[in-house]
Amino acid sequence: MPCICTGGMGKTTLAKLLFNPLAQHFRHSALIELQHDGHISSEHISSLLEQLGAEGFKKTSPAGVLLRTAQDYVSGKAVLIVVDNVWTQDQLDKLLPREFTQGSRVIITSRYSDLPKSEWCQQVNMRLKHYAMVELSKEAAKQLLRESANLDLGFRMPSEQLRDTEEELVKACKGLPLVLKVTSTALRCSNRNEPGELA
């Protein structure tokens, strides 16, 4: 299941929120977080194998050998694999097996809009559902901004100050949850230095 969206939409948050409750229903599960350099190393595949519960493999083996080991290991097992932050289509080819047992689930988050057309997505033996995340609505963005500005250490942003600036802030943040949270944190920090602003 590829989930596609731009940066700041909450892909990593979503990946973790999905993984934790779903992993309770699988004996074999793994969450792999990738870096933006696009590199897949033996360490990534070793981590996948370890999290899935594989034993007896040589961590220093070449990536291709480890990938074949992963394919053999998932054979006959229902697994949950979440891969967060895929940047290039060949990352999937180098990291994930292509044959999965019925009942397995693979969740992928990415900024790469053509990911569903990648070789791995075309050849994997499971039906894929593609989801595109969208920006928050104006009202949802306002609510997130308000809630985030009122959290942490009992600090509360004065409501009149937030009302004066929230329209402009929400517009500038373009409905991106991460940007809204960072903005609200900056507001809290700047106001902590002003007398009388702490609750």
Side-chain angles (χ1 to χ4, degrees):
M1 177 182 90
C3 178
I4 313 295
C5 61
T6 60
M9 290 289 297
K11 293 184 302 297
T12 298
T13 300
L14 176 64
K16 290 176 180 177
L17 282 173
L18 289 172
F19 179 77
N20 291 326
L22 287 175
Q24 298 174 23
H25 301 283
F26 290 84
R27 290 186 62 198
H28 308 280
S29 59
L31 170 62
I32 304 296
E33 298 179 66
L34 301 179
Q35 302 302 316
H36 69 275
D37 62 7
H39 180 67
I40 296 293
S41 66
S42 296
E43 288 82 18
H44 290 106
I45 306 170
S46 293
S47 176
L48 173 69
L49 283 163
E50 285 180 334
Q51 289 183 60
L52 290 173
E55 298 176 347
F57 64 93
K58 192 173 179 182
K59 293 180 184 181
T60 57
S61 297
V65 172
L66 290 170
L67 184 56
R68 285 191 294 277
T69 302
Q71 180 63 74
D72 292 342
Y73 186 77
V74 301
S75 179
K77 298 176 181 71
V79 300
L80 168 68
I81 299 175
V82 176
V83 183
D84 180 41
N85 208 22
V86 172
W87 283 77
T88 64
Q89 60 178 317
D90 70 326
Q91 284 181 304
L92 295 179
D93 296 327
K94 293 176 181 177
L95 176 66
L96 294 178
R98 296 183 189 207
E99 299 288 327
F100 289 93
T101 300
Q102 186 173 359
S104 293
R105 297 289 181 265
V106 178
I107 299 171
I108 302 161
T109 68
S110 179
R111 298 178 188 204
Y112 183 55
S113 61
D114 283 339
L115 186 68
K117 299 175 186 173
S118 71
E119 186 177 336
W120 183 87
C121 288
Q122 296 299 315
Q123 295 182 4
V124 69
N125 71 331
M126 61 175 57
R127 186 169 60 91
L128 296 178
K129 295 180 181 176
H130 169 237
Y131 295 93
M133 292 177 69
V134 295
E135 292 86 2
L136 293 175
S137 69
K138 186 175 180 180
E139 286 308 310
K142 283 182 183 180
Q143 182 178 349
L144 179 60
L145 184 68
R146 289 179 193 137
E147 289 174 0
S148 298
N150 289 328
L151 296 176
D152 293 347
L153 305 175
F155 176 75
R156 182 169 181 81
M157 175 73 67
S159 59
E160 66 277 3
Q161 181 182 359
L162 188 57
R163 265 197 309 272
D164 291 343
T165 59
E166 79 177 351
E167 288 287 335
E168 185 177 332
L169 290 172
V170 165
K171 184 177 179 182
C173 293
K174 299 182 180 178
L176 300 175
L178 181 60
V179 178
L180 287 158
K181 285 188 157 257
V182 169
T183 301
S184 65
T185 299
L187 288 172
R188 281 198 312 268
C189 291
S190 66
N191 280 310
R192 282 187 178 135
N193 298 323
E194 296 175 14
E197 294 297 334
L198 291 175

